[in-house]
Amino acid sequence: MPVVEEPEHLSGDHPDGGTGLSPASDPGPRDAATDSGPAESTAEPLLVPADGIPPVCRTAEAVAAAAERLAAGSGPLAVDAERASGFRYSSRAYLIQLRRAGAGTVLIDPIPVADALAPLAEAINGLEWILHSADQDLPGLAELGLRPAVLFDTELGGRLAGFPRVGLAAMVEQLLGRALRKGHGAADWSTRPLPEAWLNYAALDVELLIELRAAVAAALAEQGKTDWAAQEFEHIRLLEPATPKPDRWRRTSGIHTLRRARQLAIVRELWTTRDTLARGRDIAPSRILPDSAIIAAAKAEPASIGQLRELPVFGGPRQRRYSREWLGAVERARALPDEDLPRMSQPYDGPPPVNRWERRDPAAAARLARARAVMTRISERVAVPVENLLSPDLVRRLCWDGLPDYRSGPEAAGEVAAAVDGFLKSHGARPWQRELAAQPLATALIDRPPS
């Protein structure tokens, strides 16, 4: 399959807007699967912003004027940012949308004014920000010196309130009775000039966020979950950027079809070479070389540029100029001594894959089954998704080797509950989560006496 042609971008290869690691791990547009719903809707369509599409601030003077206007507004600040996931490498914001009562909507192109955002930061960094799926946009905004003092995440709030569909459009329709226009969330926002239809879409993303915040807050209050949400929002606000995981090359699509360690070494070298090129040019790695081409080269193990170019993709005009780099990667893998080849099984940080537990530690497998059942019951009782009660990885770690001893009998319950609570706390679980889960998990973890 041919490599997708690069779209027309800003002049030069600018740092971008994919994800912090690579666009392959990006969660995608906010209104994807979670917004699929009935084909027909009685909601009133919201097609254009009430005040029209505001002009995009592209100069220091325009940013300063917008900052002054926002500072004179009142209440929380609706915030959104558009990136170029799948097109660019990093999490850079290519458009910032802001809205505040009394100030209206502001659109800012941060590319030409990245060094002139100090007035904006001074005006908005002390405010409460409202975002939908805040963890997607906060890293790119932080790169520009923009950070909220308080956060309200309408998507996360919707999860905690038990809404079955938490995409922005779905929640706006359910809670506010309006139908948002969709269609450009996955666009290449590094394109310049930005089409008017895209700007219309972007402005609508913040048009109703303030009203949505009020509706979600009311639902949380009615369910007694206001404090839970506040703890979660603060956790997201203070969350440090994730450290890249080792062996990310093992996520190459199709790697499961390889059967030899030497082939894995070729994947590793090609993946690393591609990542270096993608980072340097600020292009999504898949647009430099698709995973399918890496797997094909690992299977064929080409010994010359001619053999390499006979493979799918590598013979295309865009790839021919990198032929020496790609073949060099294959040659480095071929030259590795056997002891330096990667392991066929993926190394893991923490417990092994769950499908191996029954064989390696049947008692741990039984603990996990009981713990999962406990978490499901709690989820159903409080109407919060299981993954928001505690991260599944944390539950697995707890059941595998989180505590040194699971003694039987009722006299152990208090001791184990305290140990479980300490374990959850040390791994970042919030107080509301520990209060709900520590005691039930402790009961599940205690080995049951023989019958």
Side-chain angles (χ1 to χ4, degrees):
M1 76 186 249
V3 175
V4 179
E5 292 290 318
E6 291 177 31
E8 182 177 334
H9 296 95
L10 303 172
S11 58
D13 283 330
H14 295 280
D16 102 306
T19 70
L21 302 181
S22 103
S25 64
D26 190 85
R30 284 176 296 276
D31 295 318
T34 52
D35 269 352
S36 61
E40 296 183 6
S41 172
T42 59
E44 179 185 356
L46 181 61
L47 302 179
V48 295
D51 300 324
I53 304 173
V56 180
C57 299
R58 297 188 175 93
T59 66
E61 293 76 16
V63 169
E68 184 175 348
R69 197 163 87 243
L70 290 168
S74 61
L77 178 75
V79 180
D80 191 24
E82 304 297 342
R83 297 166 290 128
S85 304
F87 297 91
R88 296 292 189 164
Y89 188 92
S90 73
S91 58
R92 186 173 189 177
Y94 279 96
L95 186 71
I96 301 171
Q97 307 102 282
L98 307 168
R99 182 174 178 83
R100 194 180 188 197
T105 298
V106 168
L107 301 181
I108 296 176
D109 179 354
I111 305 306
V113 296
D115 296 330
L117 295 177
L120 181 66
E122 183 177 356
I124 71 172
N125 281 10
L127 302 177
E128 176 192 306
W129 290 12
I130 310 165
L131 290 101
H132 196 81
S133 301
D135 58 339
Q136 294 188 38
D137 292 333
L138 286 179
L141 293 169
E143 290 179 6
L144 298 169
L146 305 175
R147 299 175 179 86
V150 180
L151 175 66
F152 193 103
D153 187 329
T154 48
E155 190 266 353
L156 181 52
R159 290 182 183 276
L160 296 176
F163 293 117
R165 297 165 57 225
V166 294
L168 179 60
M171 291 186 66
V172 165
E173 180 171 343
Q174 180 176 351
L175 295 176
L176 304 180
R178 304 298 300 275
L180 273 180
R181 170 177 294 193
K182 300 183 290 180
H184 302 296
D188 177 10
W189 288 87
S190 68
T191 299
R192 293 297 185 272
L194 286 169
E196 183 174 351
W198 296 14
L199 296 174
N200 184 79
Y201 164 90
L204 289 177
D205 267 357
V206 293
E207 180 83 2
L208 297 177
L209 264 187
I210 296 172
E211 292 87 343
L212 183 62
R213 180 235 186 270
V216 174
L220 290 168
E222 183 178 356
Q223 299 176 32
K225 297 175 180 176
T226 298
D227 185 55
W228 297 4
Q231 292 179 37
E232 289 302 288
F233 299 159
E234 186 67 358
H235 173 72
I236 295 297
R237 188 182 75 88
L238 299 177
L239 199 62
E240 295 292 332
T243 302
K245 294 182 179 180
D247 291 338
R248 287 186 291 140
W249 58 271
R250 288 184 181 270
R251 296 171 58 189
T252 304
S253 179
I255 198 170
H256 65 283
T257 64
L258 304 181
R259 296 292 179 262
R260 296 188 294 108
R262 188 73 60 184
Q263 293 174 326
L264 293 186
I266 293 174
V267 171
R268 181 174 63 187
E269 291 297 330
L270 284 171
W271 187 98
T272 302
T273 299
R274 179 185 70 173
D275 196 66
T276 300
L277 290 170
R279 185 188 299 271
R281 297 188 61 201
D282 191 24
I283 297 174
S286 61
R287 289 177 174 268
I288 297 288
L289 187 71
D291 283 2
S292 60
I294 292 178
I295 298 300
K299 291 178 177 179
E301 300 186 31
S304 67
I305 286 181
Q307 291 180 9
L308 177 75
R309 289 179 175 175
E310 290 177 358
L311 299 175
V313 178
F314 288 100
R318 286 184 174 275
Q319 298 303 327
R320 294 172 73 90
R321 58 175 167 167
Y322 293 122
S323 293
R324 184 64 258 171
E325 285 87 344
W326 303 137
L327 185 63
V330 175
E331 291 173 340
R332 287 193 298 274
R334 187 182 291 115
L336 285 174
D338 289 348
E339 59 268 23
D340 290 338
L341 295 176
R343 292 166 43 186
M344 287 301 297
S345 59
Q346 180 172 356
Y348 39 80
D349 171 23
V354 172
N355 60 8
R356 302 180 189 176
W357 284 32
E358 187 64 43
R359 176 173 52 85
R360 295 186 56 178
D361 190 340
R367 289 195 295 267
L368 181 61
R370 296 196 300 269
R372 284 176 164 174
V374 162
M375 296 306 297
T376 297
R377 288 196 294 271
I378 297 174
S379 171
E380 293 171 348
R381 175 168 59 85
V382 301
V384 172
V386 170
E387 63 271 20
N388 291 109
L389 287 175
L390 281 177
S391 87
D393 178 67
L394 180 52
V395 175
R396 288 191 293 268
R397 288 173 183 266
L398 175 67
C399 292
W400 182 254
D401 60 2
L403 301 178
D405 180 28
Y406 299 96
R407 295 192 296 109
S408 300
E411 72 281 356
E415 175 186 339
V416 176
V420 169
D421 184 71
F423 181 87
L424 298 179
K425 182 178 181 180
S426 69
H427 285 75
R430 274 68 75 195
W432 74 274
Q433 296 174 316
R434 290 157 41 209
E435 182 179 352
L436 284 173
Q439 181 63 64
L441 283 174
T443 302
L445 293 174
I446 295 174
D447 289 339
R448 294 178 177 176
S451 56

